[in-house]
C-alpha cells in the first residue's frame, strides 16, 4: 500500500451471501448459543455516526433494558436488531441467520421478532381484531399457497416417475378457512388476556393510549415471537396509563419472553431487567446487572446520567 | 317560433333523444372507466416510484415511471388523443368507447400517480414499519395497510381529478366518438340555433359535476365515520 493510504476495501464475495456496498467488515462466525448477536454494528446518517462498532450478544430468556441520554442511538440500535434500519456496516445475527445478508429472507426472520413502538403504530384502517390477525392470516395464506404451488410441481414430476420413486408431497396442514378462524380465535384469546375483548370491532382511533399500546403488544405476540423489542413503550402515554402497559410487559417477562426494552422507566428497568445497557454517543458505554448499573456506576457519563433521571 | 321552441322540436324527436342518451352514456362510461384505469395505473406507478431499493431492475422501472408521467403530463390531452387514436391504435380492433377510455386512463394515470404518491407520503411512516416488523412483505404492507389510508387521504383530490376527467372527455368528438357534446353539436348544427343547445349542454355537464361533488362529499363523510365507530 502506497504512503499508508488505506486501500479501498472491496465488498466481500462469499457464495450465498450478498451485502450492501458499505458493509466491508469481514463476517465472523456467530455464537450458536446467542439468540441475537451484533458484530461491529455501525450506523451513519450521512456524516453523522449514530452507532459505532457495537458488539453484543443477547441470549434466550434475557431481559435487556437499554437506558441512556436522548440522541444516544438507543432507538437506532433497537431498529437495527430487526433491520428496520439497514446497518451501514457490521452484522446482526438472529438465531444464526445473518439478517444483513440480502439473500436471507428478512420477512421470514422478522416473524419471530416482535416490535413495539413508542407511537403504537396500530393500523388505522383496520379494526382492533384485524390489526392482530392481519399478519398471521396473510403470512399463513402465503405459506399455504407456496406449499400448494410446490406440491403442484411435485405431482407433475411424479407423473413421470415410477411408483417407488415418487417424491412425497409437502404437508399442508390447514385450509385457508382454518388459518383465518385460528388467527381470529388466537386474537380473541389475546384480547381477553388484556381485558379488551369487547374492543374487537372498534377502530384504534377510539382507544386510549394505554389500550392502544397493549393491543400493539398483543399484535406482536400473535406471531409467536421468540424475542420482543420495545422502543420506549410508555413514553407517549399519559402518566396514569403507564402502569397498565408496564404490567403487561412484566407479565411477558415473567412468562420467560426474551426482550430488549429501551426505556426511561428506571424503576421498571431495575425490577425487570436481567442486564442493563447504558448507551451514549453511539456506544454501549457501560453494562451490567441492574444492581451494578444503578448502585455502583463506574463511568462519569453514567453517574451523570443517573443523577439526572433518578 | 322562438329559439327554445326550435331547439325543443328538434330535441324531442326520438332519434335525437336516443343520440343524447347514447352520448350521455358514452361520456359517463369514458369518465368512469378512465378514472378506474387511471387509479389503478396511478397506484402501481406511485408504488414503484417509492420502492426503497437500489436494485437495477427497480431503478429502470422508476425511470420508466418518470418518463411516463413526464410525457403524459407534458403534452395536451387532445394531442394524446389524436396521436394514440390515429397513429397508435389504428389497426387495433376494440370498441371505440373502450379505446378512448384506455387513452383517458393512460392520461389520468400520470396525474393519479402524483396524487397517490402524495397520498402515500401523507401516511405515517410508522404504519409501514409496524407492518414490516410483523414479517409482512413490502407489497403486502403497501396493499393492506398503506394504500387504503393513502386512498382515503386522497379522496378529495381524486374527486377533483374525476371532475376534470369528465369535463375533458368533451374533446372526444374530434375523433368522431358520439359523446354528449357531439349530440348537442348535432342539434345546433342542424337548427342553426346555437345558444340554447350549448347552454343545455353546459347545464348537463354542470349537473354531472355537482352530482360527483356530492358523491365525493358523502364518501368523505362515510370514511370519517368509519374510523370513529
Ligand atoms: N432517519 C434519520 N436521519 C438522520 N438522523 C437520524 C435519523 N434517525 C436518527 N437520527 C439521529 O441519530 C441520533 C440517534 O437517534 P436515536 O437512535 O433516535 O437516539 P435515542 O433513541 O437514543 O434518543 C440522533 O442524533 C438523531 O438525530
Ligand atoms: Mg429513541
Amino acid at each position: 500500500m502506497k504512503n499508508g493510504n488505506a486501500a479501498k476495501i472491496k465488498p466481500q464475495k462469499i457464495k450465498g451471501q450478498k451485502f450492501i456496498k458499505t458493509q466491508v467488515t469481514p463476517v465472523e462466525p456467530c455464537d450458536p448459543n446467542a439468540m441475537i448477536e451484533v458484530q461491529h454494528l455501525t450506523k451513519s446518517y450521512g456524516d453523522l455516526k449514530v452507532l459505532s462498532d457495537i458488539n453484543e450478544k443477547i441470549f434466550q430468556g434475557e431481559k435487556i433494558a437499554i437506558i441512556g441520554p436522548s440522541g444516544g442511538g438507543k432507538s437506532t440500535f433497537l431498529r437495527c436488531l430487526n433491520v428496520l434500519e439497514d446497518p451501514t456496516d457490521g452484522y446482526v445475527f438472529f438465531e444464526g441467520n445473518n439478517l444483513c445478508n440480502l439473500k436471507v429472507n428478512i420477512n421470514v426472520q422478522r416473524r419471530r421478532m416482535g416490535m413495539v413502538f413508542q407511537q403504537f403504530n396500530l393500523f388505522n384502517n383496520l379494526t382492533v381484531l384485524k390489526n392482530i390477525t392481519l399478519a398471521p392470516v396473510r403470512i399463513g395464506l402465503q405459506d399455504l399457497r407456496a406449499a400448494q404451488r410446490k406440491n403442484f410441481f411435485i405431482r407433475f414430476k411424479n407423473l413421470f416417475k415410477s411408483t417407488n420413486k415418487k417424491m412425497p408431497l409437502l404437508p399442508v396442514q390447514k385450509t385457508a378457512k382454518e388459518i383465518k378462524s385460528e388467527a381470529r380465535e388466537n386474537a380473541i384469546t389475546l384480547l381477553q388476556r388484556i381485558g379488551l375483548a369487547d374492543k374487537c370491532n372498534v377502530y384504534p382511533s377510539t382507544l386510549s393510549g394505554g389500550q392502544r399500546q397493549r393491543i400493539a403488544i398483543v399484535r406482536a405476540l400473535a406471531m409467536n415471537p421468540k424475542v420482543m423489542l420495545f422502543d420506549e413503550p410508555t413514553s407517549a402515554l399519559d402518566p396514569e396509563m403507564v402502569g397498565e402497559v408496564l404490567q403487561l410487559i412484566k407479565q411477558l417477562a415473567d412468562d420467560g419472553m426474551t426482550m430488549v426494552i429501551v426505556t426511561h422507566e428506571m424503576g421498571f428497568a431495575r425490577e425487570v431487567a436481567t442486564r442493563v445497557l447504558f448507551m451514549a454517543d453511539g456506544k454501549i458505554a457501560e453494562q451490567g446487572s441492574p444492581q451494578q448499573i444503578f448502585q455502583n456506576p463506574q463511568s462519569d457519563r453514567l453517574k451523570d446520567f443517573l443523577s439526572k433521571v433518578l | 317560433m322562438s329559439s327554445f321552441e326550435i331547439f325543443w322540436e328538434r330535441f324531442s324527436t326520438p332519434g335525437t333523444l336516443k343520440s343524447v342518451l347514447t352520448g350521455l352514456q358514452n361520456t359517463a362510461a369514458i369518465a368512469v372507466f378512465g378514472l378506474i384505469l387511471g387509479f389503478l395505473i396511478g397506484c402501481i406507478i406511485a408504488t414503484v416510484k417509492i420502492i426503497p431499493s437500489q436494485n437495477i431492475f427497480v431503478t429502470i422501472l422508476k425511470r420508466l415511471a418518470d418518463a411516463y408521467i413526464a410525457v403524459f403530463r407534458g403534452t395536451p390531452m387532445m394531442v394524446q388523443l389524436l396521436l394514440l387514436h390515429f397513429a397508435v391504435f389504428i389497426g387495433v380492433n376494440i370498441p371505440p368507447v373502450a379505446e378512448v377510455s384506455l387513452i383517458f386512463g393512460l392520461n389520468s394515470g400520470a396525474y393519479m400517480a402524483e396524487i397517490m404518491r402524495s397520498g402515500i407520503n401523507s401516511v405515517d411512516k410508522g404504519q409501514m414499519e409496524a407492518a414490516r416488523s410483523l414479517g409482512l412483505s413490502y407489497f403486502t404492507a403497501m396493499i393492506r395497510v398503506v394504500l387504503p389510508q393513502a386512498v382515503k387521504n386522497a379522496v378529495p383530490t381524486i374527486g377533483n381529478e374525476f371532475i376534470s376527467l369528465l369535463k375533458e372527455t368533451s374533446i372526444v368528438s374530434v375523433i368522431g366518438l358520439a359523446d354528449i357534446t357531439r349530440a348537442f353539436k348535432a342539434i345546433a348544427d342542424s337548427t342553426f340555433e346555437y345558444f340554447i343547445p350549448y347552454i343545455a349542454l353546459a347545464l348537463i355537464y354542470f349537473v354531472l359535476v355537482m352530482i360527483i361533488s356530492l358523491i365525493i362529499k358523502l364518501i368523505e363523510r362515510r370514511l370519517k365515520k368509519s374510523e370513529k365507530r
Side-chain angles (χ1 to χ4, degrees):
Chain A
M1 261 173 256
K2 285 173 204 162
N3 310 332
N5 279 346
K8 204 176 169 194
I9 311 169
K10 285 249 174 70
Q12 44 205 329
K13 283 222 172 88
I14 307 169
K15 206 172 169 228
Q17 298 192 14
K18 189 170 173 242
F19 299 96
I20 57 176
K21 279 194 206 108
T22 54
Q23 292 195 311
V24 291
T25 310
V27 183
E28 292 157 24
C30 71
D31 181 348
N33 296 320
M35 178 174 273
I36 298 177
E37 176 172 339
V38 172
Q39 286 179 2
H40 303 294
L41 179 62
T42 302
K43 176 72 187 177
S44 311
Y45 290 109
D47 288 339
L48 179 70
K49 206 168 199 180
V50 180
L51 299 177
S52 50
D53 198 21
I54 296 181
N55 293 284
E56 195 52 65
K57 288 175 191 173
I58 296 167
F59 294 89
Q60 170 119 38
E62 280 199 295
K63 291 100 180 68
I64 310 264
I66 303 180
I67 60 171
S70 183
K74 303 182 296 296
S75 299
T76 309
F77 177 70
L78 198 73
R79 293 158 57 81
C80 281
L81 294 184
N82 66 354
V83 270
L84 270 187
E85 216 67 76
D86 281 318
T88 312
D89 197 4
Y91 308 96
V92 179
F93 291 85
F94 175 59
E95 299 190 310
N97 298 298
N98 190 343
L99 302 187
C100 299
N101 180 356
L102 300 177
K103 298 249 166 94
V104 167
N105 186 345
I106 188 62
N107 297 327
V108 172
Q109 300 304 321
R110 281 193 187 130
R111 296 176 192 179
R112 297 279 171 260
M113 312 177 91
M115 188 166 215
V116 175
F117 302 83
Q118 186 175 347
Q119 298 298 337
F120 329 130
N121 295 345
L122 289 182
F123 305 133
N124 297 322
N125 59 319
L126 299 176
T127 61
V128 167
L129 189 71
K130 287 267 170 65
N131 260 275
I132 301 173
T133 56
L134 177 71
V137 168
R138 283 300 128 206
I139 288 167
L141 292 181
Q142 269 167 27
D143 290 352
L144 175 68
R145 280 188 215 117
Q148 285 171 338
R149 251 196 322 271
K150 283 195 191 121
N151 280 345
F152 178 80
F153 285 110
I154 293 175
R155 273 201 202 98
F156 184 74
K157 282 184 203 153
N158 281 348
L159 288 180
F160 305 97
K161 289 187 175 153
S162 55
T163 329
N164 52 354
K165 278 193 191 154
K166 285 196 194 303
M167 292 198 309
L169 295 182
L170 296 171
V172 177
Q173 282 120 342
K174 296 178 203 161
T175 64
K177 222 176 186 177
E178 280 165 354
I179 288 171
K180 284 180 192 167
S181 67
E182 222 163 80
R184 197 189 145 86
E185 278 161 30
N186 186 31
I188 290 175
T189 312
L190 285 165
L191 282 172
Q192 275 163 351
R193 174 172 167 186
I194 56 170
L196 292 175
D198 57 323
K199 302 287 185 194
C200 254
N201 295 318
V202 308
Y203 284 83
S205 59
T206 59
L207 300 172
S208 75
Q211 291 172 330
R212 282 190 226 186
Q213 192 62 302
R214 286 185 290 145
I215 288 165
I217 293 171
V218 297
R219 175 177 71 179
L221 290 178
M223 292 300 296
N224 292 320
K226 298 232 167 97
V227 58
M228 288 285 286
L229 312 173
F230 295 87
D231 190 2
E232 300 195 26
T234 58
S235 295
L237 296 176
D238 291 335
E240 77 269 21
M241 291 168 186
V242 170
E244 62 191 64
V245 172
L246 290 183
Q247 197 195 345
L248 176 59
I249 298 175
K250 190 166 178 309
Q251 275 173 21
L252 286 182
D254 293 341
D255 291 349
M257 177 67 80
T258 310
M259 47 176 74
V260 184
I261 312 176
V262 176
T263 186
H264 289 300
E265 301 286 335
M266 295 302 151
F268 180 74
R270 197 185 301 209
E271 186 186 352
V272 172
T274 54
R275 186 148 62 103
V276 180
L277 310 183
F278 171 63
M279 279 194 76
D281 302 328
K283 286 201 155 77
I284 299 177
E286 197 170 334
Q287 65 164 298
S289 69
Q291 279 90 347
Q292 280 169 338
I293 292 292
F294 291 111
Q295 263 116 46
N296 192 14
Q298 302 294 312
S299 61
D300 292 339
R301 280 302 301 265
L302 178 53
K303 285 177 194 164
D304 182 50
F305 174 73
L306 289 175
S307 71
K308 281 177 192 149
V309 296
L310 287 182
Chain B
M1 271 207 294
S2 72
S3 307
F4 185 78
E5 280 163 344
I6 293 169
F7 164 73
W8 190 253
E9 192 183 15
R10 181 82 218 181
F11 180 81
S12 52
T13 60
T16 312
L17 267 179
K18 189 157 172 277
S19 75
V20 166
L21 278 180
T22 316
L24 196 61
Q25 209 179 335
N26 287 346
T27 294
I30 295 165
V32 170
F33 290 131
L35 181 83
I36 293 170
L37 187 63
F39 176 73
L40 294 177
I41 294 176
C43 285
I44 293 167
I45 298 276
T47 308
V48 165
K49 279 195 72 172
I50 59 169
I51 296 177
S53 166
Q54 306 92 338
N55 184 318
I56 177 85
F57 178 67
V58 173
T59 314
I60 293 171
L61 269 183
K62 284 185 187 181
R63 291 286 142 74
L64 286 175
D66 284 337
Y68 164 76
I69 293 177
V71 167
F72 278 91
R73 295 214 310 177
T75 53
M77 180 69 234
M78 173 86 101
V79 177
Q80 292 165 22
L81 183 65
L82 293 172
L83 191 67
L84 288 173
H85 177 70
F86 288 115
V88 178
F89 289 136
I90 189 69
V92 188
N93 200 3
I94 50 171
V97 174
E99 184 201 322
V100 173
S101 300
L102 181 66
I103 297 172
F104 272 84
L106 284 170
N107 174 274
S108 181
Y111 291 90
M112 240 9 145
E114 293 296 296
I115 293 172
M116 286 315 297
R117 197 159 67 108
S118 64
I120 290 169
N121 286 336
S122 74
V123 176
D124 181 18
K125 293 260 181 302
Q127 299 282 309
M128 176 57 99
E129 286 181 352
R132 294 305 306 275
S133 79
L134 290 164
L136 293 172
S137 68
Y138 176 79
F139 288 100
T140 309
M142 201 67 194
I143 291 165
R144 299 280 160 182
V145 176
V146 178
L147 276 179
Q149 296 181 55
V151 171
K152 189 184 149 190
N153 294 346
V155 159
T157 332
I158 294 173
N160 288 341
E161 170 62 21
F162 188 29
I163 287 171
S164 50
L165 186 63
L166 174 85
K167 291 187 294 188
E168 231 167 346
T169 59
S170 68
I171 62 172
V172 297
S173 46
V174 298
I175 61 160
L177 199 134
D179 76 329
I180 186 79
T181 300
R182 195 176 158 89
F184 277 83
K185 186 168 184 294
I187 299 174
D189 288 348
S190 63
T191 57
F192 302 105
E193 275 292 342
Y194 296 98
F195 185 71
I196 303 283
Y198 286 138
I199 276 288
L201 178 62
L203 207 65
I204 288 176
Y205 276 110
F206 185 75
V207 169
L208 287 177
V209 169
M210 286 297 118
I211 292 172
I212 296 172
S213 311
L214 192 75
I215 293 172
I216 302 290
K217 280 227 180 70
L218 288 177
I219 293 175
E220 267 181 80
R221 203 177 305 163
R222 178 80 187 269
L223 286 175
K224 253 187 211 128
K225 220 189 268 167
S226 77
E227 235 175 51
K228 292 250 158 57
R229 198 152 29 100

